[in-house]
């Protein structure tokens, strides 16, 4: 079995990671039906709210997901959904393609849940886009339950 550790992402890597993850966020929102303008506005709202000045809020954690060989396999970002809240959120989690199907995402999320609990969280939520059925399966296995469902019918 492959090991997994959460290691704080070095501050000098956060800007590049943030650019990359926010570009993926915009693409996912567009794939889910938003216009580019809507997706870009949502991206900017997220940056302003959770990364003022380009750094994460104090109780937000951005980690590299590191395997037992010391290689960065992906990343995890969690924190309170609003300042001081006991309701936390998985804002982003991803394991790089070449490291998938080895349990890294599961172990990273479990470790993140422990950190959230240690910081007073009473729940942890996340959003998963409808097309990402593999992630939906993992989250269900970890005990996440559906709390809302949005649906859309394109009219073109």
């Amino acid at each position: 079995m492959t090991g997994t550790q959460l290691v704080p992402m070095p501050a000098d890597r956060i800007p590049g990671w943030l650019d990359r993850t926010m570009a993926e966020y915009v693409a996912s929102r567009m794939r889910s039906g938003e216009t580019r303008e809507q997706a870009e506005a949502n991206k900017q709202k997220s940056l302003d709210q959770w990364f003022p000045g380009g750094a994460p809020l104090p109780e937000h954690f951005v980690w590299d997901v590191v395997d037992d060989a010391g290689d960065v396999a992906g990343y995890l970002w969690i924190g309170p959904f609003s300042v001081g809240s006991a309701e936390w959120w998985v804002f982003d989690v991803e394991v790089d393609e070449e490291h998938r199907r080895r349990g890294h995402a599961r172990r990273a999320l479990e470790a993140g849940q422990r950190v959230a609990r240690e910081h007073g969280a009473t729940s942890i939520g996340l959003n998963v886009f409808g097309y990402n059925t593999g992630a939906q399966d993992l989250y269900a296995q970890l005990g996440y339950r559906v709390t809302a469902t949005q649906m859309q019918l394109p009219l073109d």
Side-chain angles (χ1 to χ4, degrees), residues 89 126-128 145-151:
W89 198 253
L126 53 78
N127 178 71
V128 58
R145 66 179 200 271
V146 175
T147 58
T149 302
Q150 292 181 329
M151 300 175 82

Side-chain angles (χ1 to χ4, degrees), residues 71-99:
D71 296 326
V72 174
Y75 56 83
L76 173 63
W77 164 28
I78 67 169
F81 196 72
S82 58
V83 175
S85 176
E87 295 178 348
W88 279 44
W89 198 253
V90 175
F91 290 93
D92 205 357
V93 59
E94 183 157 344
V95 172
D96 299 331
E97 187 74 38
E98 63 272 18
H99 295 280

Side-chain angles (χ1 to χ4, degrees), residues 18-81:
L18 200 51
D19 287 346
R20 209 170 41 259
T21 196
M22 286 296 148
E24 291 168 3
Y25 179 66
V26 166
S28 290
R29 292 193 76 97
M30 290 173 57
R31 183 174 176 185
S32 294
E34 287 186 358
T35 64
R36 175 164 294 282
E37 293 75 24
Q38 291 167 320
E40 291 286 346
N42 279 313
K43 173 191 93 169
Q44 193 58 52
K45 181 181 174 188
S46 292
L47 288 171
D48 293 345
Q49 186 170 2
W50 292 301
F51 281 83
L57 290 175
E59 281 200 314
H60 280 230
F61 295 88
V62 178
W63 292 293
D64 284 328
V65 175
V66 178
D67 68 14
D68 54 2
D71 296 326
V72 174
Y75 56 83
L76 173 63
W77 164 28
I78 67 169
F81 196 72

